[in-house]
Amino acid sequence: MSSDPPGFELPLRLFLAFRVLIDELHSELARQGHPDVRPMHGYVFQAIGPNGTTAADLGRRLGVSKQAAGKTIDTLERLGYVERGADPNDARRKLVRLTARGADCLTRSAQIFDHLRANWARTLGEDRLRALESDLRRMTPAEAFLLDAPGWFGNS
């Protein structure tokens, strides 16, 4: 009988580690003035990008319908994280852009993730954490930031 854990434990542990980091991120974001941001919003902010995007393009990037993307934009606009405006290159299109509040949330998120990583390094040791990160890079696609996770999970 093998002493190896069952194969299904690996994805569950990876997901649990992801969940722990994301929950810690959002707890700290709430303390720093962003209590309404949800995990899916981070994907949305990344998909909007620095130049903005349309609701249709946002939906495609996230793997959700244009209508689902529109509802998320409505929510984020109401919370002050995004704004809609005319596309300077095409008056028929509306662009969604991050507001200063949205950009602040992204900046704080990056700083918090750095802090969380430092905590993991203190607990596991820097060498072991670097080895784990290297191994994960080796086992996953190079395009590490697939933004369609909300659609993949079925949260459209």
Side-chain angles (χ1 to χ4, degrees), residues 1-12:
M1 183 173 215
S2 172
S3 62
D4 290 340
F8 67 83
E9 188 174 330
L10 177 61
L12 293 176

Side-chain angles (χ1 to χ4, degrees), residues 37 40-49 76 81-82 98 102 105-106:
V37 174
M40 185 186 68
H41 297 158
Y43 290 103
V44 174
F45 294 165
Q46 292 297 322
I48 289 171
L76 291 172
Y81 290 99
V82 302
L98 293 178
C105 186
L106 274 180

Side-chain angles (χ1 to χ4, degrees), residues 113-123 126 129:
F113 275 129
D114 287 345
H115 177 75
L116 293 171
R117 188 197 177 281
N119 287 343
W120 278 48
R122 276 191 294 281
T123 301
E126 185 65 41
L129 181 57

Side-chain angles (χ1 to χ4, degrees), residues 5 18 43 69-71 83 95 97 99 104-105 107 110 118 130 137-138 140 143 149:
F18 171 81
Y43 290 103
K71 283 183 179 182
E83 61 190 2
L95 282 184
R97 290 189 177 91
T99 62
D104 178 70
C105 186
T107 299
R130 281 191 182 152
R137 278 187 213 95
R138 187 170 158 208
T140 57
E143 60 277 350

Side-chain angles (χ1 to χ4, degrees), residues 1-37:
M1 183 173 215
S2 172
S3 62
D4 290 340
F8 67 83
E9 188 174 330
L10 177 61
L12 293 176
R13 289 287 171 190
L14 289 169
F15 181 71
L16 184 57
F18 171 81
R19 179 72 191 262
V20 165
L21 287 167
I22 297 302
D23 287 349
E24 289 176 358
L25 167 75
H26 284 274
S27 291
E28 186 57 29
L29 279 173
R31 280 191 284 281
Q32 292 187 25
H34 296 282
D36 298 316
V37 174

